[in-house]
């Protein structure tokens, strides 16, 4: 996968994660909610929503509400789990929470499943969540 393709996949994962997080906070999620949460322009979010819909990761109702499909939900939950665990670990290590959240966002996309599972086991043990 090229660098550009990798970055595009990262971006789509971030959108899915954001839709998941917003769906837990709000009764309905619209593109404008995603744009506000990510501080992105409405046209940028519109393009991303179209891509997510075309890939079968989200459904868009006639009223413009965004809903994750089963596949979109699976990806979003995986990314969110990685983000949360990595951020919690960095905070535990003494990293400022905002820096930890930003770094976790970068790490969550690049770590292999094998390395993540090994780290997860260790981190959960250290944090007393095993």
């Amino acid at each position: 996968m090229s660098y550009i393709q990798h970055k595009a996949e990262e971006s789509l994962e971030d959108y899915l994660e954001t839709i998941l997080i917003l769906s837990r906070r709000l009764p309905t999620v619209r593109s404008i909610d995603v744009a506000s949460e990510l501080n992105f322009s409405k046209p940028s979010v519109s393009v991303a929503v179209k891509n997510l819909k075309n890939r079968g990761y989200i459904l868009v109702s006639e009223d413009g509400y965004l809903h994750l499909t089963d596949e979109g939900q699976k990806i979003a939950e995986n990314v969110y789990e990685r983000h949360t665990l990595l951020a919690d670990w960095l905070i535990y290590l003494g990293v400022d929470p905002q820096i930890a959240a930003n770094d976790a966002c970068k790490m969550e996309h690049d770590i292999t499943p094998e390395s993540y599972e090994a780290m997860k086991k260790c981190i959960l043990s250290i944090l007393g969540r095993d």
Side-chain angles (χ1 to χ4, degrees), residues 38 68 74 103 112:
L38 294 173
L68 294 168
K74 181 180 167 185
D103 287 347
T112 64

Side-chain angles (χ1 to χ4, degrees), residues 37-117:
E37 183 74 13
L38 294 173
N39 200 25
F40 289 172
S41 71
K42 289 185 252 181
S44 294
V45 173
S46 179
V47 169
V49 164
K50 183 178 177 182
N51 287 336
L52 292 169
K53 183 179 174 187
N54 289 342
R55 288 176 147 208
Y57 295 146
I58 65 169
L59 301 172
V60 182
S61 73
E62 287 182 16
D63 296 328
Y65 299 126
L66 309 180
H67 304 277
L68 294 168
T69 63
D70 289 343
E71 183 66 19
Q73 182 85 20
K74 181 180 167 185
I75 293 168
E77 287 178 356
N78 182 278
V79 173
Y80 182 71
E81 175 193 296
R82 286 173 176 234
H83 181 100
T84 303
L85 183 76
L86 293 168
D88 287 351
W89 177 55
L90 292 170
I91 291 166
Y92 172 82
L93 294 175
V95 176
D96 174 86
Q98 186 59 50
I99 293 170
N102 291 338
D103 287 347
C105 190
K106 296 171 193 166
M107 295 165 65
E108 72 197 24
H109 301 289
D110 290 327
I111 192 168
T112 64
E114 181 181 15
S115 293
Y116 174 73
E117 287 303 318

Side-chain angles (χ1 to χ4, degrees), residues 18-41:
T18 300
I19 293 168
L20 174 70
I21 291 166
L22 288 172
S23 72
R24 292 177 177 179
R25 279 199 329 235
L26 303 171
T28 57
V29 179
R30 299 166 299 147
S31 294
I32 189 68
D33 301 318
V34 175
S36 295
E37 183 74 13
L38 294 173
N39 200 25
F40 289 172
S41 71

